[in-house]
């Protein structure tokens, strides 16, 4: 399959436009051009979304679900071709790209059926009076998705909005546009009415500053960095728009002394290398009880060193290239700073070659709290492994940063698990595994990692408003 031609999708029609290059991170070749929407394109998208909402909100939930499920079925049929395009533009190994697509389908399918269960309620009242609560779609949504998960992140926003009865304008990443394009194409082919789903690309600051203030837009949803999230949240607040903010994290992992350190290290290598560490829920700060620390650190380093780094199209590749040169620069800066402050480099630590954005899974031990990597989200293949005396110290260090998106812990003690569940400040805690979210569970952060939820019944509720109807009758 050749890399697809990228187009805008507005009002049920595809549009071409001039734009910028799309770079293959494995060899730095140009894959194609991503079109940039003009203000006229955005005006058309806003008008289309308003008209699409008027139609879609009055479409029966079952009829909406059938179209959404048909789109998911088409995506499953096209998963292999979609995965190849995603690997070309983003770099992740083919099997990981395909799993992302299938996970996106799980989300779409779950939301589609849950959209038929957005129930209201009747509140008891006196004779001749009835209070009824209705959950109604909030309106047209402006959605901003990132480059690291080109299909599943847009899928989560599109599925949530459409299953709730909203229309949506999706502003997807210019660096990895094929995932969003192929997602939208499936909905188009499934018979989604014109205007319900629109896709634009372009200068992020210009598009957000145009869409967010528009009276047509009723909700903002964003996945990305904390600084940009705060900026968009501020802009939304100025215009009294609710927002879903799924922002960055700095995932702590607490490894208690009652688990096998070698087995836990092997699981950690797999989780940390996923998508080359370019994951907002990536495990990054490992706090290991002193009795297990050296064994865990060495096993982690040995596993990291054995990973096969290469082009994601090669079936033997376990760790693909980073998505862009910015991530290479970040890794070099963070590793250099940590080493200068006394951290031990147990694995990796240097860029591989000079063509393509390849960087190995790097394991640093005894990293001081003052190191930049301990305070900034690395968003790359960097694991920081430090010893702790006990669970109290581990929890204190896990909570020390302003982030709180995902956290992990490994223990065989019910008492420890209860302590962790109560005391770790995070939106998502996984004990004895590294799966941060599923289609049926709510996903989102606390503190600087954002607010609002995606996934689960809580996620769909964010796309609705509660209306109370109080009816007095004879």
């Amino acid at each position: 399959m050749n890399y697809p031609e990228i187009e805008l999708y507005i009002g049920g029609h595809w549009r071409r436009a001039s734009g910028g290059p799309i770079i293959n991170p494995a060899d730095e070749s140009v894959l194609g051009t991503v079109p940039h929407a003009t203000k006229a394109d955005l005006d058309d998208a806003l008008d289309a979304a308003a008209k699409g909402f008027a139609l879609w909100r009055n479409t029966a939930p079952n009829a909406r679900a059938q179209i959404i499920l048909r789109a998911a079925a088409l995506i499953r049929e096209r998963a292999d071709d979609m995965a190849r395009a995603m690997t070309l533009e983003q770099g992740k190994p083919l099997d990981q790209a395909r799993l992302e697509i299938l996970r996106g389908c799980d989300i779409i399918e779950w939301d589609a059926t849950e959209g038929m269960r957005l129930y209201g309620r009747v509140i008891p009242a006196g004779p001749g009076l009835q209070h009824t609560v209705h959950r109604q779609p909030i309106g047209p949504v402006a959605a901003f998705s990132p480059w690291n998960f080109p299909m599943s992140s847009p899928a989560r926003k599109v599925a949530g909005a459409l299953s709730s009865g909203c229309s949506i304008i999706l502003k997807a990443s210019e660096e990895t546009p094929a995932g969003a394009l192929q997602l939208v194409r499936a909905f188009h082919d499934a018979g989604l009415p014109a205007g319900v789903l629109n896709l634009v690309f372009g200068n992020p600051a210009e598009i957000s500053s145009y869409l967010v203030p528009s009276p047509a837009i009723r909700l903002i949803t964003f996945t990305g960095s904390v600084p940009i999230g705060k900026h968009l949240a501020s802009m939304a607040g100025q215009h009294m728009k609710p927002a879903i903010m799924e922002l960055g994290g700095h995932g702590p992992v607490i490894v208690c002394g009652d688990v096998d350190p070698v087995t836990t290290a092997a699981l950690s290598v797999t989780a940390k290398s996923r998508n080359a560490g370019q994951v907002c829920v990536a495990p990054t700060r490992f706090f290991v009880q002193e009795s297990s620390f050296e064994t865990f650190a060495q096993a982690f380093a040995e596993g990291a060193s054995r990973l096969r780094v290469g082009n994601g199209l090669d079936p033997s590749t376990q760790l693909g290239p980073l998505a862009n040169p910015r991530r290479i620069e970040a890794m070099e800066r963070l590793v250099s700073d940590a080493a200068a402050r006394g951290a031990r480099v147990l694995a990796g630590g240097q860029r591989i070659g000079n063509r393509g954005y390849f960087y190995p899974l790097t394991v640093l031990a005894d990293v001081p709290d003052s190191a930049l990597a301990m305070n900034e989200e690395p968003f790359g293949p960097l694991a920081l492994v430090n010893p702790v005396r006990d669970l109290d110290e581990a929890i204190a260090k896990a909570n020390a940063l302003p982030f709180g998106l995902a956290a992990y812990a490994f223990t065989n003690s019910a008492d420890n698990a209860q302590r962790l569940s109560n005391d770790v400040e995070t939106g998502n805690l996984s004990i004895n595994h590294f799966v941060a979210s599923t289609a049926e569970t709510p996903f989102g952060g606390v503190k600087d990692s954002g607010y609002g939820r995606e996934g689960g019944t809580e996620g769909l509720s964010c796309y609705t408003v509660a209306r109370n109807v109080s009816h007095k009758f004879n």
Side-chain angles (χ1 to χ4, degrees), residues 102-114 117 156 428 433 435-443 453-460:
L102 298 180
R103 177 174 177 268
C105 289
D106 290 342
I107 292 168
I108 294 168
E109 291 160 350
W110 195 91
D111 282 1
T113 54
E114 188 66 14
R117 294 185 288 271
R156 206 162 209 169
N428 306 270
H433 68 98
V435 178
S437 69
T438 61
E440 64 272 22
T441 59
F443 176 69
R453 291 297 180 264
E454 294 184 315
T457 56
E458 295 83 358
L460 287 190

Side-chain angles (χ1 to χ4, degrees), residues 417-435:
Q418 189 62 35
R419 278 279 321 276
L420 292 158
S421 299
N422 287 336
D423 296 347
V424 177
E425 297 170 352
T426 184
N428 306 270
L429 174 65
S430 300
I431 300 176
N432 295 335
H433 68 98
F434 281 111
V435 178

Side-chain angles (χ1 to χ4, degrees), residues 302-462:
E302 291 169 7
S305 299
R306 287 194 297 267
L307 288 174
R308 294 185 294 274
V309 182
N311 191 315
L313 296 177
D314 183 339
S316 68
T317 292
Q318 296 171 294
L319 185 71
L322 301 188
N324 54 61
R326 301 188 305 277
R327 304 319 314 148
I328 290 288
E329 293 165 4
M331 292 304 101
E332 292 177 337
R333 177 174 61 88
L334 295 176
V335 171
S336 174
D337 172 79
R341 295 174 189 266
R344 291 185 289 150
V345 181
L346 301 185
Q350 291 186 337
R351 179 179 182 177
I352 301 172
N354 55 16
R355 184 168 181 80
Y357 311 131
F358 295 100
Y359 201 90
L361 178 52
T362 296
V363 181
L364 305 183
D366 300 317
V367 187
D369 291 341
S370 60
L372 294 176
M374 290 294 290
N375 297 278
E376 299 178 15
E377 181 182 22
F379 217 69
L382 179 59
L384 315 169
V385 185
N386 284 344
V388 290
R389 293 183 303 276
D390 51 31
L391 189 58
D392 287 337
E393 183 183 8
I395 291 174
K397 285 185 174 294
N399 292 341
L401 299 186
F403 306 106
L405 184 59
Y408 309 89
F410 287 82
T411 181
N412 290 319
S413 163
D415 288 343
N416 287 349
Q418 189 62 35
R419 278 279 321 276
L420 292 158
S421 299
N422 287 336
D423 296 347
V424 177
E425 297 170 352
T426 184
N428 306 270
L429 174 65
S430 300
I431 300 176
N432 295 335
H433 68 98
F434 281 111
V435 178
S437 69
T438 61
E440 64 272 22
T441 59
F443 176 69
V446 298
K447 302 192 288 188
D448 275 7
S449 291
Y451 48 80
R453 291 297 180 264
E454 294 184 315
T457 56
E458 295 83 358
L460 287 190
S461 293
C462 288

Side-chain angles (χ1 to χ4, degrees), residues 88-103:
L88 285 170
E89 67 180 7
Q90 202 273 340
K92 67 185 66 181
L94 267 174
D95 61 341
Q96 292 184 28
R98 195 172 192 281
L99 284 174
E100 177 186 339
I101 292 163
L102 298 180
R103 177 174 177 268

Side-chain angles (χ1 to χ4, degrees), residues 251-272 281-293 296 300 385 388 390-392 394-395 398 406-421 424 428-436:
V253 184
I254 295 173
V255 182
C256 297
D258 60 353
V259 298
D260 179 11
V262 175
T263 300
T264 307
L267 293 172
S268 299
V269 169
T270 300
K272 184 68 227 189
V281 297
T284 301
R285 294 177 296 141
F286 292 79
F287 300 114
V288 186
Q289 197 160 340
E290 288 175 342
S291 60
S292 302
F293 172 70
F296 176 89
F300 200 150
V385 185
V388 290
D390 51 31
L391 189 58
D392 287 337
I395 291 174
Y408 309 89
F410 287 82
T411 181
N412 290 319
S413 163
D415 288 343
N416 287 349
Q418 189 62 35
R419 278 279 321 276
L420 292 158
S421 299
V424 177
N428 306 270
L429 174 65
S430 300
I431 300 176
N432 295 335
H433 68 98
F434 281 111
V435 178

Side-chain angles (χ1 to χ4, degrees), residues 20-304:
I22 305 163
I23 304 300
N24 182 337
D27 60 15
E28 303 180 47
S29 63
V30 176
L31 292 168
T33 300
V34 59
H36 288 187
T38 64
K39 288 185 177 180
D41 292 322
L42 298 180
D43 284 334
D44 289 346
L46 288 165
D47 182 62
K51 293 176 179 176
F53 176 59
L55 172 66
W56 193 241
R57 69 174 301 177
N58 291 312
T59 301
N62 180 65
R64 293 197 299 246
Q66 293 307 310
I67 294 174
I68 298 169
L69 290 170
R70 191 152 55 242
L74 289 174
I75 294 170
R76 288 189 183 277
E77 291 174 8
R78 303 168 182 178
D80 289 341
D81 286 347
M82 290 177 66
R84 180 175 174 82
M86 188 184 301
T87 294
L88 285 170
E89 67 180 7
Q90 202 273 340
K92 67 185 66 181
L94 267 174
D95 61 341
Q96 292 184 28
R98 195 172 192 281
L99 284 174
E100 177 186 339
I101 292 163
L102 298 180
R103 177 174 177 268
C105 289
D106 290 342
I107 292 168
I108 294 168
E109 291 160 350
W110 195 91
D111 282 1
T113 54
E114 188 66 14
M116 295 186 286
R117 294 185 288 271
L118 286 173
Y119 304 134
R121 61 193 174 103
V122 176
I123 299 173
L129 184 64
Q130 184 180 66
H131 304 304
T132 309
V133 179
H134 303 256
R135 296 223 66 100
Q136 297 188 323
I138 193 169
V141 176
F144 302 86
S145 63
W147 51 260
N148 59 327
F149 287 101
M151 186 274 179
S152 63
S153 183
R156 206 162 209 169
K157 300 180 186 305
V158 169
L162 269 54
S163 298
S164 304
C166 299
S167 61
I168 184 170
I169 300 174
L170 172 64
K171 205 299 286 184
S173 169
E174 292 70 41
E175 293 178 287
T176 56
L181 174 114
Q182 293 166 318
L183 170 74
V184 172
R185 182 171 289 160
F187 278 93
H188 173 84
D189 294 345
L192 187 71
V196 178
L197 172 57
N198 305 274
L199 174 65
V200 298
F201 304 98
N203 182 286
E206 292 178 3
I207 291 180
S208 60
S209 64
Y210 201 79
L211 293 183
V212 173
S214 170
I217 296 298
R218 300 292 181 86
L219 172 71
I220 314 302
T221 173
F222 171 77
T223 298
S225 70
V226 171
I228 295 177
K230 288 183 175 180
H231 172 69
L232 290 180
S234 175
M235 190 187 306
Q238 291 173 15
H239 297 278
M240 291 305 295
K241 307 285 178 74
I244 303 169
M245 290 285 149
E246 194 263 281
L247 308 182
H250 204 316
V253 184
I254 295 173
V255 182
C256 297
D258 60 353
V259 298
D260 179 11
V262 175
T263 300
T264 307
L267 293 172
S268 299
V269 169
T270 300
K272 184 68 227 189
S273 61
R274 174 176 169 249
N275 206 28
Q278 300 165 124
V279 187
C280 55
V281 297
T284 301
R285 294 177 296 141
F286 292 79
F287 300 114
V288 186
Q289 197 160 340
E290 288 175 342
S291 60
S292 302
F293 172 70
E294 285 298 339
T295 301
F296 176 89
Q298 289 302 320
F300 200 150
E302 291 169 7

